[in-house]
Structure formats: structure tokens, C-alpha cells
Amino acid sequence: MNKRRTLGFGIGILLVLLFIFKDVFFLPNVESLKGEFHEVTFVRNEQNTGPVIRLYVVSVGKKEDAQFEAYGNFMPHTKYGITTVFFFDKKSPIPRTISENEPYFNTVDFKPIAKYEKNPMGNTSLTF
């Protein structure tokens, strides 16, 4: 009777551990999103006196079914900081460098198809 109880307890612990490992290794990530996203460039301000500003340029292979907002939500965000993601069609010109100051890139030569922004209060917006 004691061996059965020990075996049952061991199997129970093993099942719990399997569920934990399954959740850890199969969490959704950027690669699992629809849209064929590829991060082209990134810049973050280095100052410690103001908000952390993160700017991303991302190419999109399949813009028709791309999950823009979900991609933006995966990007790091600091409390009271600003995270901005500019999405560009993979077939269009894409800036390879980005500045910390507006307008961030040459808006005459480069036209984003969407812009995701998470503001200092954590509210998000997606504009096309």
C-alpha cells in the first residue's frame, strides 16, 4: 500500500512537471505570429534622466494577415517609456538606420504601412 502511494505521488509530480515544461517551451513568441516579421533595426536612447524610448523598424512579408498589434505587444516596454514600431512592406524601401529624434527616418523615401505605439501609461495604438 505504501509503494502504491509513493508511486502515485511520483507520477503526480511527474505530470505537473511535464505540464510546466510544456508551457515554458511552447509559449507564443514573435516567430509564431502571422505576417513574416523581421526586425531590421532598433534604437534606444541611452539617457537615464527621462523616459526610455525604443524605436523599431520591422519588415512585413505578408501584410494581409499580419498580426501587427500582437507583434508590438511582444516588444519590450519600460514603465513611463515609449515603444514605437514602424512596419514596412518587405517589397518596399526600408530604412536601415533610425534616429532617436523625429521624424526618425527620411519620410520622403520610406513609407511605413503601419505604426504601433505604447505610450508612457501603457496604452497602445495602431495606425495604418
Side-chain angles (χ1 to χ4, degrees), residues 54-74:
R54 291 181 172 90
L55 302 166
Y56 295 88
V57 171
V58 175
S59 69
V60 181
K62 295 183 178 179
K63 61 183 180 179
E64 300 80 27
D65 53 325
Q67 297 172 294
F68 295 106
E69 191 163 4
Y71 184 93
N73 288 335
F74 273 115

Side-chain angles (χ1 to χ4, degrees), residues 7-127:
L7 182 62
F9 186 69
I11 290 173
I13 289 176
L14 183 63
L15 288 174
V16 168
L17 288 174
L18 285 174
F19 282 119
I20 290 171
F21 283 119
K22 180 189 79 70
D23 285 345
V24 168
F25 289 113
F26 294 104
L27 286 173
N29 57 24
V30 173
E31 287 81 25
S32 66
L33 297 175
K34 295 179 184 176
E36 295 180 9
F37 296 102
H38 175 72
E39 185 178 314
V40 176
T41 189
F42 159 76
V43 68
R44 177 192 182 278
N45 64 337
E46 296 299 327
Q47 67 185 19
N48 292 323
T49 59
V52 174
I53 298 171
R54 291 181 172 90
L55 302 166
Y56 295 88
V57 171
V58 175
S59 69
V60 181
K62 295 183 178 179
K63 61 183 180 179
E64 300 80 27
D65 53 325
Q67 297 172 294
F68 295 106
E69 191 163 4
Y71 184 93
N73 288 335
F74 273 115
M75 295 295 98
H77 181 72
T78 305
K79 187 175 181 180
Y80 303 119
I82 299 170
T83 301
T84 305
V85 182
F86 296 98
F87 296 99
F88 291 85
D89 188 345
K90 185 178 182 179
K91 299 172 186 134
S92 300
I94 301 170
R96 300 292 173 194
T97 60
I98 191 167
S99 168
E100 293 179 18
N101 304 314
E102 286 192 59
Y104 307 121
F105 51 86
N106 182 343
T107 57
V108 174
D109 296 334
F110 306 110
K111 304 286 186 205
I113 56 174
K115 177 185 171 186
Y116 170 92
E117 188 169 76
K118 187 178 273 190
N119 70 15
M121 299 309 292
N123 298 327
T124 62
S125 66
L126 180 65
T127 54

